[in-house]
Every structure is written in C-alpha cells, then in structure tokens.
C-alpha cells in the first residue's frame, strides 16, 4: 500500500528551531492549526528545539525518520547558516525535501522602553554617544535577528555586543526588562509590544512600509537614509530527505489549502506578514529560491567575515 494512503495516521511533529512564544513559533502554531483540516483532522504538535541560530532544530529534522511525521518550519536561517557555520552537520540543499514557503515577514528595529530616544535621529545620536556599551539581543548566529543586526551595525558603522538567546521570545523578555538595549525582530513577535508601548520602535527593515494599524507609522530604514536596507524574513516547510513522494505531495497540497484559510490569512496580515501565493508554493521553486538566498546572504556574511564554529 502506498505510504500516503494512510498518512497521517498519527500525530505530526513540526520542529521549530527556536524558543516557544517567539515569531517563528507563533507562525508555526497558527500554521499547524490551519493544516489540521486539510490533513483530515490530523494532530500537529509543535516542538521547540532552540539553540545555535536554529541549526540544532534543523539538524534534528535532517536526521529524523523520513516518514512525514517530523517536519521543520524554519526561516531565512536555512540560507544564512550554510555560509556562516564552519561545521554544520547537515546540508540544506541535499538533506531536506522542500515542501513550500509559508509567508514573508518584515522586521522591526526596537529599543528598550527606557532608552532615551523617541525618534530614529535621536536613536542614532544615542548610539554614537554610547559606542562600546550597547547590547544587541539576537537568536544566535545565523538567525534573522542576527542578520538584521549585522546589517544595521555595518550600515551605521557602530559595533555592538551581541547577546544570543535560543529565540527572540526570551530575548524580548530581556528587552522588556531592560537587560539588553536593542533588537531586530519579526513583526509577528513585535506588533503586540509596539501596540502596548512596552518597547521603542524606530523603523521597519523592508523597503516598503508595513500597512497595518500598528506598524504603518514606522519609517523604513531605507527612507531614514540606510539606502537599500532590505531584510524580509521568509518561512518554509521541510521534511527529511527521502520522505516518500506521495507523502510529500499530500503535505504540499495541505500547505496550499492551509494558506487559503481566511483565519490564517487574517491573523498573519494583522501581524504584518504576507502569506505566500506565488510560485514558491511549488517545492521545486521553493528549493530554487532558497538556493538563490544562500548565494545572496552568503555574500553578505562573507563580506562581514562572520563565521561560527
Ligand atoms: N526571530 C528569531 C530570529 O531572530 C527567531 C525566533 O525566535 O523565532 O531568527
């Protein structure tokens, strides 16, 4: 009997390579909910395997049984870590099946609430005045927050002390507590904090403003003078290499259905994310896109000389 005939007949685990409560986790939990119906009422469980910029979780899925019951939901880290990590125990393009992209999410540049700068120009002055003392939180080397922070430091030519966490949920806690000064994070995690006024928000990382009630007022870094600054974080779904083709086809069909779910779309849009509707829903296109992103971000990482062991 082909494997897909019965699939799924037990719970599916979606590994999120970051801590619970952060932006990748939030996307995964909403996505898991949207996948339930297209997968015939299946149970989808999110497992958080944070650490080392997402590479621990990705490595776990690369080595998991290729049966469709362990999937990975990961972001741009799929494209940054192959260049950044000298020792990665998996190969992104060889060790995974590509199942389609889910969304594109802008980032926001945040400061702790007690930071004495309400506008970006004042923020820049504060950065200049506090050179050598600034702490920048991130989710480890190769994470989205690391990438955005790296590009921001290069653009303003100020080095900061990076403080790595297992995800931006714990990093956000420390930003709220004032233990760290600044952070870049996806709007899926920052919209609520910005709306509540519990952090200072200076800009968005994409070249276009983000058209939500909470975020529309934020200028882009590009319009603030960092010409061409553009970091947009995509999320995609992956299975271990060797997962049967009929199972992959079933998951891809469910993903396409899930992304049409009006509740899912509404939630994502409210948080500034754009649900994918283009060719990247197609596994071959998804893989091609990630390969191009590996080249694109690889060049940025090499130029910055940022490597991890
Ligand atoms: N936003 C994180 C990152 O910087 C990951 C997370 O916790 O979702 O990659």
């Amino acid at each position: 009997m082909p494997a897909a005939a019965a699939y799924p007949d037990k719970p599916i685990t979606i590994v999120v390579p970051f801590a619970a409560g952060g932006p990748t986790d939030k996307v995964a939990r909403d996505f898991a909910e949207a996948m339930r119906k297209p997968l015939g009422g299946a149970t989808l469980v999110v497992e958080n395997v944070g650490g080392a910029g997402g590479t621990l979780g990705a490595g776990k899925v690369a080595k998991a049984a290729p049966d469709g019951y362990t999937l990975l939901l990961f972001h741009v880290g799929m494209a940054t870590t192959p260049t950044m990590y000298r020792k990665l125990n998996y190969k992104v393009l060889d060790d995974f099946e590509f199942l389609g992209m889910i969304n594109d999410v802008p980032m926001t540049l945040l400061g702790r609430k007690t930071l004495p700068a309400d506008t970006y120009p004042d923020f820049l002055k504060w950065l200049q005045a506090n050179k050598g003392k600034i702490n920048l939180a991130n989710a480890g080397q190769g994470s989205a927050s690391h990438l955005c922070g790296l590009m921001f430091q290069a653009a303003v030519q100020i080095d900061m002390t990076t403080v790595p966490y297992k995800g931006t949920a714990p990093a956000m806690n420390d930003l709220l507590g004032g233990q760290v000064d600044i952070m870049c994070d996806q709007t899926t995690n920052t919209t609520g904090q910005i709306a509540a006024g519990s952090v200072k928000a200076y800009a968005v990382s994409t070249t276009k403003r983000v058209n939500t009630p909470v975020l529309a007022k934020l200028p882009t870094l590009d319009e603030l003078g960092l010409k061409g600054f553009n970091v947009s974080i995509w999320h995609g779904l992956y299975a271990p290499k060797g997962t049967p083709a009929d199972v992959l086809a079933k998951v891809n069909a469910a993903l396409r259905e899930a992304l049409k779910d009006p509740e899912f779309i509404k939630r994502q849009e409210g948080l500034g994310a754009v649900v994918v509707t283009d060719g990247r829903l197609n596994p071959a296109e998804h893989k091609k896109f990630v390969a191009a992103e590996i080249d694109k971000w690889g060049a940025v990482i090499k130029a910055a000389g940022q490597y991890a062991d």
Side-chain angles (χ1 to χ4, degrees):
M1 188 168 59
Y7 179 85
D9 63 358
K10 61 178 186 179
I12 298 167
T13 298
I14 298 182
V15 171
V16 167
F18 295 108
T24 313
D25 179 70
K26 283 178 184 148
V27 168
R29 285 173 200 272
D30 287 347
F31 174 71
E33 184 57 36
M35 287 285 275
R36 181 191 304 273
K37 207 164 136 199
L39 283 173
T43 300
L44 293 105
V45 181
V46 171
E47 184 189 350
N48 300 91
V49 184
T55 59
L56 295 184
K60 181 171 177 173
V61 176
K63 307 273 176 293
D67 56 9
Y69 290 100
T70 307
L71 305 176
L72 171 71
L73 193 153
F74 198 4
H75 63 20
V76 68
M78 285 297 262
T80 56
T81 52
T83 307
M84 189 164 286
Y85 282 76
R86 290 200 176 94
K87 291 181 219 137
L88 208 54
N89 64 351
Y90 57 88
K91 288 202 169 71
V92 167
L93 297 176
D94 296 342
D95 294 346
F96 293 97
E97 306 286 355
F98 289 65
L99 285 161
M101 311 265 309
I102 299 168
N103 64 9
D104 293 293
V105 189
M107 300 191 90
T108 41
L109 177 62
L110 306 178
R112 58 177 158 78
K113 191 180 176 177
T114 49
L115 207 146
D118 289 332
T119 62
Y120 182 77
D122 285 348
F123 176 58
L124 271 188
K125 280 186 206 141
W126 182 85
L127 291 176
Q128 289 291 352
N130 288 278
K131 273 184 182 172
K133 291 186 276 182
I134 305 158
N135 289 321
L136 170 82
N138 70 27
Q141 282 192 289
S143 64
S145 43
H146 178 223
L147 182 67
C148 176
L150 197 65
M151 289 179 66
F152 182 67
Q153 289 175 83
V156 296
Q157 300 191 329
I158 296 175
D159 286 337
M160 305 174 195
T161 305
T162 50
V163 185
Y165 294 82
K166 286 190 174 173
T168 43
M172 179 65 87
N173 282 341
D174 275 6
L175 188 72
L176 294 174
Q179 285 89 358
V180 288
D181 300 314
I182 68 176
M183 172 165 81
C184 276
D185 200 12
Q186 286 107 299
T187 57
T188 36
N189 197 35
T190 64
T191 294
Q193 304 296 355
I194 295 170
S198 39
V199 290
K200 297 239 163 104
Y202 298 110
V204 292
S205 65
T206 44
T207 43
K208 272 215 266 170
R209 285 195 183 210
V210 183
N211 192 18
T212 69
V214 174
L215 303 169
K217 62 172 189 280
L218 290 179
T220 68
L221 284 168
D222 178 83
E223 70 186 84
L224 288 165
L226 304 188
K227 286 289 158 226
F229 197 105
N230 191 19
V231 182
S232 177
I233 304 307
W234 41 267
H235 296 88
L237 192 67
Y238 308 86
K241 188 79 185 173
T243 303
D246 46 5
V247 170
L248 295 175
K250 215 163 179 175
V251 177
N252 177 253
L255 175 142
R256 288 168 185 268
E257 273 311 298
L259 300 197
K260 288 188 208 145
D261 180 330
E263 273 306 306
F264 180 72
I265 295 172
K266 199 170 131 205
R267 257 191 82 66
Q268 294 298 302
E269 285 181 350
L271 296 172
V274 179
V275 175
V276 170
T277 54
D278 57 33
R280 295 172 301 162
L281 292 175
N282 177 305
E285 285 294 313
H286 177 190
K287 188 169 183 176
K288 231 167 94 185
F289 176 80
V290 173
E293 289 278 291
I294 290 174
D295 291 345
K296 172 177 148 185
W297 294 119
V300 171
I301 292 159
K302 280 180 195 152
Q306 283 277 329
Y307 299 102
D309 288 319

